[in-house]
Each structure stands twice: as C-alpha cells, then as structure tokens.
Amino acid sequence: MKIVSLLLAFVLTLAVLSGCGASNSQQPYTTVKNEQVFTVDPEEKTISCGGETYRYTLQGDAHSWQTELTYPNGETYWWNREETGNGFSSGYGGWSDGFDPSGYADPHLLVEILEEQMQSQSSPVNWPVVLFLIAIGVPHIIWPERCWYLRHGWMYRQAEPSDAAVAVGRISGVVAIGIALVMLVFH
C-alpha cells in the first residue's frame, strides 16, 4: 500500500509540474499584420520587420501591462493597458518628443503584437489536478478516521487510528486544498 501511495504522490507531482511554465515559450516566432511579416524574439525583446529592429520592454500580465518600444532611430513609444472589469480594457500611450514613425512600422501594430504575446503567456488552470486535490483534501479534513480505515484499517481486526494518524490525515487534507488554492491563484 505504501508503494501505491508513493506512486500516486509521484504521478500527482508530475501532473502539477507539467502545468507549470510550459506555455511560456521564449522561442522567436513570426506573425503577419497588415500584410507585413514581423519576427518577435521574446528572449532578446525585439521585433523585426522589413530589415528594421525594434526593441521593447514589457511588464505586467495578460490583464494589465506596460510596454515601451524603442525605434531604430532612438525615438520611443509607450503604451499602458489595463483591464477595467467584465472583460473590458482600456489603454493609453504616448511618444517621445520628435517622434516620427514615417518609414517605420506603425506603433499600434507593434503594440497589438505584444498584446497577443501577453495573452498567450497566461497559463490556464490545470482543473483536473485542482479538482483531484480538493476531492482528496476535503474527506481527509472532514472524515480523517474513515480515510484511515480505507487506507490502513481494513488490514487489521478491530483497529483504531491513533490521534497522530488522525492529525496527520487532517493536515494532509489541508495541505492538498492549500496546493489547489495556490494553483488557482497563481496560474
């Protein structure tokens, strides 16, 4: 039974870790906007188009973020996006004195590309693992004696769980639900 428990814990750990950070790829990719091909390198924080390279900074998450684009001529354009609730968002931006985008990529296109990058970085909740942890945790908190009987008690005649076994059962239930909550909050 201990081997089965250890195997289950190992599989659960792998399932939890498989959902962490897998979607945040740092590989360069290309996208097409207004019949122009843009190459985005998230690691180098550059966007290239038509032989020109634009540097950017990007801070925040998929709901609220800020970026500053530096054009090849040294001029800058910045943009802030904030989610206002109910799926609505607003944004505002500006540029450095003397900003002239003529001959360069439209700053709104570059911001649109970065917005797509931010949305792709938000990782989804691993619902099967969260539900499994809750399904295991709640009975261990509410009925730790019954959980002990299901795991150990059936092997012995007239066995009773010790106070320590009941406490460990409850603590493991709290830990399982705590992990599920952390996965929901920090997905």
Side-chain angles (χ1 to χ4, degrees), residues 6 10 15 82-83 93 97 105 142 144 153 178:
L6 288 173
F10 178 72
E82 296 178 14
E83 190 169 291
D97 291 335
I142 298 173

Side-chain angles (χ1 to χ4, degrees), residues 1-185:
M1 196 64 164
K2 287 182 181 181
I3 293 174
V4 173
S5 298
L6 288 173
L7 184 60
L8 181 62
F10 178 72
V11 169
L12 182 61
T13 302
L14 286 178
V16 169
L17 293 176
S18 69
C20 297
S23 64
N24 295 343
S25 174
Q26 294 292 313
Q27 298 296 319
Y29 63 92
T30 58
T31 185
V32 177
K33 297 283 180 198
N34 289 355
E35 299 178 9
Q36 296 177 333
V37 178
F38 294 89
T39 302
V40 181
D41 188 343
E43 189 172 309
E44 295 292 323
K45 301 223 181 274
T46 61
I47 303 174
S48 301
C49 177
E52 301 289 349
T53 300
Y54 308 88
R55 295 201 150 295
Y56 67 89
T57 61
L58 194 56
Q59 299 171 349
D61 58 25
H63 305 292
S64 178
W65 53 271
Q66 306 85 36
T67 187
E68 183 173 306
L69 298 161
T70 303
Y71 276 69
N73 64 358
E75 300 295 334
T76 59
Y77 179 81
W78 57 270
W79 184 261
N80 290 338
R81 180 193 179 273
E82 296 178 14
E83 190 169 291
T84 57
N86 298 328
F88 295 105
S89 64
S90 66
Y92 57 94
W95 44 85
S96 60
D97 291 335
F99 179 79
D100 183 16
S102 58
Y104 296 113
D106 180 12
H108 298 99
L109 283 178
L110 298 175
V111 167
E112 187 177 327
I113 292 167
L114 293 175
E115 183 171 15
E116 289 172 0
Q117 179 181 337
M118 289 303 288
Q119 290 173 349
S120 72
Q121 288 181 356
S122 67
S123 60
V125 175
N126 195 343
W127 285 107
V129 173
V130 169
L131 294 175
F132 176 77
L133 288 171
I134 291 172
I136 294 297
V138 169
H140 276 83
I141 292 172
I142 298 173
W143 305 293
E145 294 90 0
R146 289 184 183 169
C147 291
W148 183 88
Y149 280 113
L150 287 174
R151 186 166 175 203
H152 301 289
W154 64 271
M155 292 185 277
Y156 308 104
R157 206 173 292 165
Q158 297 179 350
E160 294 290 326
S162 67
D163 291 340
V166 171
V168 167
R170 280 204 169 106
I171 290 170
S172 65
V174 169
V175 169
I177 290 177
I179 292 171
L181 291 175
V182 167
M183 288 178 67
L184 285 174
V185 172

